[in-house]
Amino acid sequence: MNKVVEVVPDKEALIRRAVDVVLSKIEGAIQANGRCTIALAGGSTPKPLYEAIATFDLAWNNIHVFWGDERYVSPEHPDSNQRMARLAWLDKVDIPEANIHPMPTDGSSPTADADKHQAQLYEFFGIPVGEFPHFDVILLGIGDDGHTASLFPHTEALQVKDRLVTVGNKDGQPRITFTSSLINHANCVMFLVAGAGKRAALAQIFAPEADPQTYPARLIQPQGELWWLLDESAGQDLKH
């Protein structure tokens, strides 16, 4: 694993740096493989990143967009990660609808929809059941509690290692989420972290020893590149 930790002065600098890195990863993947597969994060931190990417003239036919997790709500719901990314980015560019691969949230149950999305991933990547695809880029954030995607502390989703997609749980509210195993097979995983409220969790995530069941972001140790981009408020204790 190639780990990069960068602390930049503020949120605006964080987004500028993220834009540079994400665009380079997208373009590199298209040059190498003819396409780029990117999984998006929800939350407020990446929204300006998506808005910025929407201003570039990219090879949209060659970019496939997924999500690392999703709340179990309709795509029109204000809390939907898909809705946020569509409004900030995807609705503003000429990307084919067939290249957008949201997590289904309209089936009989979260479990059934997690199974459905897992099957969709196997089909898209053309791999047999039991293998893991290699996303080109997976964007993540962390919560004040140390969770990432919908991998929350001391929840069953943390124990799932043999699946691509599973059901997460946030205070009794179901989510659909990539598993840590799937995330760890990515070519590049990038955390975007802003705000002083993340400092306590980051101290544990970066500590030599701490419990990943309590701080699930510790589970993310990808085989490819691991980027931590942090603003000064979040990352001031991590400067080397």
Side-chain angles (χ1 to χ4, degrees):
M1 179 181 69
N2 181 16
K3 184 175 180 180
V4 180
V5 180
E6 295 186 6
V7 181
V8 298
D10 52 33
K11 177 79 176 288
E12 289 73 22
L14 175 69
I15 297 305
R16 286 196 301 271
R17 180 63 175 137
V19 169
D20 288 345
V21 178
V22 171
L23 291 182
S24 71
K25 297 302 177 186
I26 289 174
E27 292 163 359
I30 292 173
Q31 289 177 359
N33 305 310
R35 74 180 187 191
C36 175
T37 54
I38 181 170
L40 306 185
S44 60
T45 302
K47 183 179 179 182
L49 168 63
Y50 303 155
E51 292 170 338
I53 292 174
T55 67
F56 289 85
D57 183 19
L58 303 182
W60 299 116
N61 288 338
N62 305 104
I63 298 171
H64 287 263
V65 177
F66 300 78
W67 279 261
D69 73 316
E70 183 59 273
R71 296 171 173 86
Y72 202 67
V73 296
S74 76
E76 295 79 32
H77 194 283
D79 291 339
S80 167
N81 289 339
Q82 177 190 172
R83 179 178 183 270
M84 184 272 277
R86 284 185 181 273
L87 292 175
W89 170 8
L90 302 174
D91 288 350
K92 298 178 179 179
V93 300
D94 194 23
I95 187 170
E97 184 63 29
N99 288 21
I100 302 173
H101 308 270
M103 290 179 160
T105 57
D106 54 1
S108 59
S109 72
T111 300
D113 278 337
D115 289 343
K116 180 180 179 180
H117 194 54
Q118 178 168 265
Q120 291 169 341
L121 294 181
Y122 281 132
E123 180 178 6
F124 175 84
F125 284 97
I127 58 175
V129 173
E131 291 191 9
F132 287 88
H134 302 281
F135 277 87
D136 293 304
V137 184
I138 296 180
L139 301 176
L140 295 174
I142 65 166
D144 294 356
D145 61 356
H147 85 268
T148 191
S150 281
L151 302 171
F152 290 93
H154 304 288
T155 56
E156 293 181 9
L158 305 186
Q159 312 306 323
V160 179
K161 306 295 185 185
D162 58 348
R163 291 177 54 88
L164 312 186
V165 184
T166 191
V167 177
N169 186 300
K170 168 63 170 173
D171 298 330
Q173 300 296 314
R175 312 280 188 97
I176 299 178
T177 186
F178 282 4
T179 62
S180 60
S181 297
L182 174 54
I183 296 170
N184 284 336
H185 279 79
N187 295 327
C188 175
V189 174
M190 182 183 303
F191 282 93
L192 302 179
V193 187
K198 307 296 173 64
R199 263 188 233 157
L202 285 167
Q204 296 300 317
I205 293 165
F206 278 80
E209 294 185 17
D211 182 10
Q213 301 303 310
T214 304
Y215 300 96
R218 288 182 65 92
L219 295 170
I220 308 307
Q221 302 289 336
Q223 63 177 28
E225 297 178 2
L226 174 59
W227 287 74
W228 284 90
L229 298 183
L230 311 107
D231 72 357
E232 176 79 20
S233 295
Q236 64 182 34
D237 297 335
L238 302 177
K239 286 185 170 180
H240 299 297

